Amino acid sequence: IGHQLQENRALFACGLVMLSMFVLQQVILTLDVIPTGLPLHRLGPFGLWFAYFAAAIEYKRWFTPESQAVGFVFVYISYGLHIIYTLQLIRLCRPADEPP
């Protein structure tokens, strides 16, 4: 995200990369993971979009404290979603307590 926006100044191209990564992660989660319980692992790829929008807010032309605050909120939401995603994948990958 940072390279696309800061080096290339390509907001739309970065959005296309984000879209393809999001779809691919959701497809892998659909075809590979059989969840037991609440499927919190589905939230993980949404963290990419919150990070993208936070970076896009920083990319805008004029600075305002309100937009900076919204960007901070998006960054923390992205961090939270990635932490939930990681913990859920660790929970899904651990060995089962009961035999098959």
Side-chain angles (χ1 to χ4, degrees):
I1 296 172
H3 177 73
Q4 288 279 348
L5 294 182
Q6 301 304 320
E7 296 291 329
N8 298 338
R9 305 289 233 181
L11 187 66
F12 184 70
C14 183
L16 291 177
V17 171
M18 297 298 297
L19 179 63
S20 63
M21 288 176 56
F22 174 79
V23 170
L24 288 173
Q25 282 186 343
Q26 290 291 350
V27 167
I28 289 170
L29 290 173
T30 300
L31 298 177
D32 196 34
V33 176
I34 301 172
T36 55
L38 189 62
L40 292 176
H41 59 278
R42 291 282 187 186
L43 295 176
F46 285 100
L48 296 171
W49 287 111
F50 281 103
Y52 172 72
F53 289 128
I57 287 173
E58 292 293 323
Y59 182 71
K60 75 182 206 122
R61 186 170 181 162
W62 304 110
F63 172 80
T64 60
E66 294 82 17
S67 67
Q68 184 181 25
V70 171
F72 289 163
V73 169
F74 280 169
V75 167
Y76 285 117
I77 290 172
S78 176
Y79 286 151
L81 288 175
H82 279 108
I83 290 170
I84 291 170
Y85 179 59
T86 303
L87 293 175
Q88 182 70 2
L89 289 181
I90 290 171
R91 190 185 70 79
L92 287 171
C93 292
R94 74 173 184 235
D97 293 331
E98 65 277 348

